[in-house]
Amino acid sequence: MDQMFCYQCEQTAKGSGCTVGGVCGKNPQVAALQDMLTYAVIGLGQVAHAARQKGVIDPEVDRFVCAGLFATLTNVDFDPDRFVVWIGQAVALRKALAQKAGVGPLPGPASFEPAADVAGLEAQSKIWGFAPLEGQDPDARSLIHLTIFGLRGVAAYADHAAILGQEDPELYAQIHAALAATQDTTLGAAELTALALKVGEINLRAMELLDAGNTGRFGHPVPTSVPLGHKAGKAILVSGHDLEDLAQLLEQSAGKGIFVYTHGEMLPTHGYPELKKHPHFYGHYGTAWQNQGKEFPEFPGAILMTTNCIQRPKGDTGEKIFTTGLVGWPGVPHIAEGPGGKKDFGPVIEKALALPGFAADEDKGSVMVGFARNAVLGVADKIIEAVKSGAIKHFFLVAGCDGAKPGRNYYTEFVEKTPADTVVLTLACGKFRFFDKNLGDIGGIPRLLDVGQCNDAYSAIQIAVALAGAFNCGVNDLPLSMVLSWYEQKACAILLTLLHLGIKGIRLGPSLPAFISPNVLKVLVDNFDIKPISASADEDLKAILG
């Protein structure tokens, strides 16, 4: 099979869809298997939804639906063998649940029988994948795919939360219901639009659970200075998003003469009290996920990839990289979960001890993290007074994903040109376009506030809601503008959450999603005033600030 179709990410080829190979690095075989796992999980969701109407709930099914969707998110897993296993598990769970609950035959994915081999699954993906089919209504297709991609983001947050013991049966019920609704051929454009916005509501709950999991386990982040240099000695680099993996690695590597560094979206973890208490948790190395091809070969220690963001290993990276959780790359050693969620990171530690590590200390300055909602709202009185006095005239939330596609320097320029009487809040890996800029402060309040990972979008929302409450107005009435960048499906879920909350005037870039049809885009523009970023940061700043 040498053809594929994938348009779920911002960097998709020609802005319309990858058809030869994924810009993310996946080949047509992996693309086909991801599509078939998605199809199988939708079928499992259909049966889980029907079973719930009969009072039958299966926690294993709930967890698998989220894990299965998360595995298909961009830059998570590229190992075809694992997808074959997962497809089989999805179908087996579906059949067992249908029998247990007495659910009769359902149409579409709920009756899916996977082919016996990979070639057969690839052939099935031509029928049940995401490629356009003759006779499909483009707007219905657009809204259904927006819903599915958004649910992938929801599933990622729900999976993270569940690992930390935060689950809600109603959240799972809504995920199953939304999956089942994507197969309801009686729904028109209005109902499908409402379904997509419902995903935003579901995601708000998933992010709330994840926030409770992170802060309950590791404490509320506090403002923290993070070194960008390194210490002489052995080293481990942790990338991705998972705080529990980092915590277990820190516990297991303590006292072994190894310094642990973060990469990419793990930078904000330095602000968590229960993580920063480890003296060998030292600093941050590198920048965003798309630069790992250059940064990883230069790192003189072991590398652990948690959650999404992995790319094809380059140079000697393949000899020192490990994956865990849902992350996978063919031939890369995988650290599996043991009883009680415990993992043995011994192989990672042994590899770090065998590699040279850093020969000498290096000082490359530092950056501040830890401005999540508790830290920001802890000085809310100062912020409110600064707004009332005119010292702070505007807030910008410049947040989202980074990527390699041209056009993202816009965000660097935008932040650099924000006036001195404005504050920039940021989160997710998009910050790496400007995270080390010194913007100064306003009355002791830093002008650049790092709220955290994309996983911490709930914090940013709560900050906005609290400020609106303090000024007795709606969020749309605040002197707040959102300038967002997107890359993958967690960003889709967050955008749907903002729309569910009624947030208007969002600027989105670097390009608009290829899976949004012109008519669907018009609805979003008419109802929410969504607009693409312009070619000029100056132009957008002038439009925002007048």
Side-chain angles (χ1 to χ4, degrees):
M1 180 177 180
D2 57 3
Q3 287 291 309
M4 58 178 278
F5 182 81
C6 181
Y7 66 171
Q8 68 185 36
C9 86
E10 193 272 333
Q11 294 187 177
T12 193
K14 299 179 182 179
S16 58
C18 294
T19 57
V20 178
V23 292
C24 63
K26 68 182 175 185
N27 58 35
Q29 183 185 79
V30 169
L33 293 172
Q34 288 183 348
D35 284 359
M36 295 321 299
L37 176 58
T38 302
Y39 193 71
V41 169
I42 292 172
L44 179 55
Q46 285 179 281
V47 171
H49 176 60
R52 263 180 158 79
Q53 312 312 304
K54 294 173 174 274
V56 179
I57 297 173
D58 187 332
E60 183 181 3
V61 167
D62 292 341
R63 287 295 305 274
F64 185 89
V65 164
C66 290
L69 287 175
F70 189 5
T72 66
L73 190 143
T74 304
N75 291 93
V76 174
D77 199 294
F78 296 81
D79 190 341
D81 292 340
R82 296 180 80 190
F83 283 104
V84 172
V85 172
W86 285 330
I87 291 168
Q89 287 179 328
V91 173
L93 285 169
R94 186 197 78 209
K95 291 180 176 179
L97 180 58
Q99 183 176 14
K100 179 180 179 181
V103 174
L106 297 172
S111 299
F112 168 60
E113 289 291 342
D117 55 25
V118 172
L121 288 167
E122 290 181 272
Q124 287 179 324
S125 74
K126 293 291 189 180
I127 304 169
W128 295 310
F130 286 88
L133 296 177
E134 187 175 348
Q136 270 186 319
D137 177 86
D139 299 328
R141 174 176 174 266
S142 175
L143 290 165
I144 289 170
H145 288 182
L146 173 60
T147 297
I148 293 172
F149 295 153
L151 285 170
R152 285 178 173 176
V154 175
Y157 295 128
D159 186 72
H160 280 300
I163 288 170
L164 294 167
Q166 292 290 327
E167 297 184 82
D168 180 355
E170 181 58 26
L171 172 68
Y172 291 130
Q174 292 182 343
I175 291 173
H176 300 325
L179 287 170
T182 65
Q183 303 305 303
D184 187 345
T185 57
T186 68
L187 299 183
E191 292 87 353
L192 289 173
T193 300
L195 176 63
L197 294 178
K198 178 67 176 180
V199 171
E201 179 185 349
I202 298 169
N203 187 56
L204 184 61
R205 176 58 176 152
M207 291 193 300
E208 181 183 24
L209 288 170
L210 176 55
D211 179 86
N214 282 336
T215 57
R217 168 84 165 84
F218 306 107
H220 284 276
V222 296
T224 302
S225 178
V226 184
L228 297 178
H230 52 252
K231 300 283 287 182
K234 305 295 184 177
I236 294 175
L237 186 64
V238 184
S239 192
H241 302 78
D242 197 281
L243 274 63
E244 179 61 27
D245 285 337
L246 175 59
Q248 292 191 31
L249 176 65
L250 286 169
E251 290 165 2
Q252 294 175 35
S253 59
K256 298 185 182 297
I258 299 172
F259 289 103
V260 176
Y261 301 83
T262 54
H263 178 269
E265 288 244 51
M266 295 301 282
L267 168 62
T269 61
H270 289 274
Y272 285 90
E274 287 301 306
L275 296 175
K276 64 183 294 182
K277 71 180 183 182
H278 293 278
H280 65 301
F281 186 32
Y282 180 67
H284 186 77
Y285 173 91
T287 51
W289 64 273
Q290 78 277 2
N291 298 319
Q292 61 189 259
K294 176 181 183 298
E295 294 169 353
F296 283 6
E298 296 175 355
F299 186 77
I303 301 169
L304 176 66
M305 295 301 299
T306 73
T307 69
N308 52 311
C309 293
I310 193 170
Q311 288 187 300
R312 181 186 301 278
K314 293 183 179 179
D316 70 346
T317 303
E319 301 170 12
K320 59 190 180 187
I321 192 169
F322 298 80
T323 61
T324 192
L326 294 170
V327 188
W329 193 281
V332 170
H334 187 79
I335 306 298
E337 183 175 283
K342 296 300 180 183
K343 296 180 180 180
D344 178 8
F345 289 110
V348 182
I349 294 167
E350 291 170 11
K351 177 61 70 172
L353 292 172
L355 291 168
F358 289 107
D361 292 356
E362 182 182 39
D363 184 356
K364 296 178 67 176
S366 62
V367 295
M368 290 293 295
V369 301
F371 295 100
R373 73 178 192 280
N374 263 32
V376 174
L377 297 180
V379 293
D381 55 338
K382 294 181 181 179
I383 294 173
I384 293 166
E385 182 55 38
V387 173
K388 289 180 177 179
S389 71
I392 296 178
K393 287 191 168 58
H394 206 86
F395 296 91
F396 296 97
L397 177 63
V398 186
C401 314
D402 203 0
K405 190 175 178 180
R408 292 182 183 269
N409 284 337
Y410 164 95
Y411 297 94
T412 311
E413 183 182 353
F414 188 97
V415 169
E416 288 177 337
K417 292 185 175 180
T418 53
D421 55 6
T422 63
V423 172
V424 177
L425 294 93
T426 188
L427 56 83
C429 62
K431 72 168 71 79
F432 287 106
R433 294 285 167 170
F434 49 80
F435 79 122
D436 54 355
K437 304 294 181 184
N438 184 2
L439 301 185
D441 67 89
I442 300 174
I445 300 168
R447 286 195 55 234
L448 181 61
L449 300 174
D450 186 345
V451 178
Q453 301 177 335
C454 66
N455 290 12
D456 299 312
Y458 182 79
S459 255
I461 291 170
Q462 292 307 305
I463 290 170
V465 169
L467 288 175
F471 288 105
N472 195 27
C473 67
V475 173
N476 289 318
D477 301 315
L478 287 171
L480 168 68
S481 299
M482 299 189 183
V483 184
L484 308 181
S485 56
W486 78 284
Y487 172 68
E488 40 87 308
Q489 297 76 64
K490 285 192 285 186
C492 295
I494 292 171
L495 178 62
L496 290 172
T497 295
L498 295 175
L499 299 183
H500 157 70
L501 292 171
I503 307 298
K504 296 186 177 182
I506 296 169
R507 281 173 165 79
L508 183 65
S511 64
L512 297 178
F515 51 83
I516 298 293
S517 69
N519 286 336
V520 171
L521 178 60
K522 185 177 186 305
V523 170
L524 297 179
V525 170
D526 290 347
N527 287 279
F528 300 101
D529 194 27
I530 282 185
K531 49 179 71 79
I533 61 171
S534 73
S536 164
D538 286 313
E539 182 180 322
D540 285 349
L541 277 166
K542 183 178 179 181
I544 292 169
L545 298 174

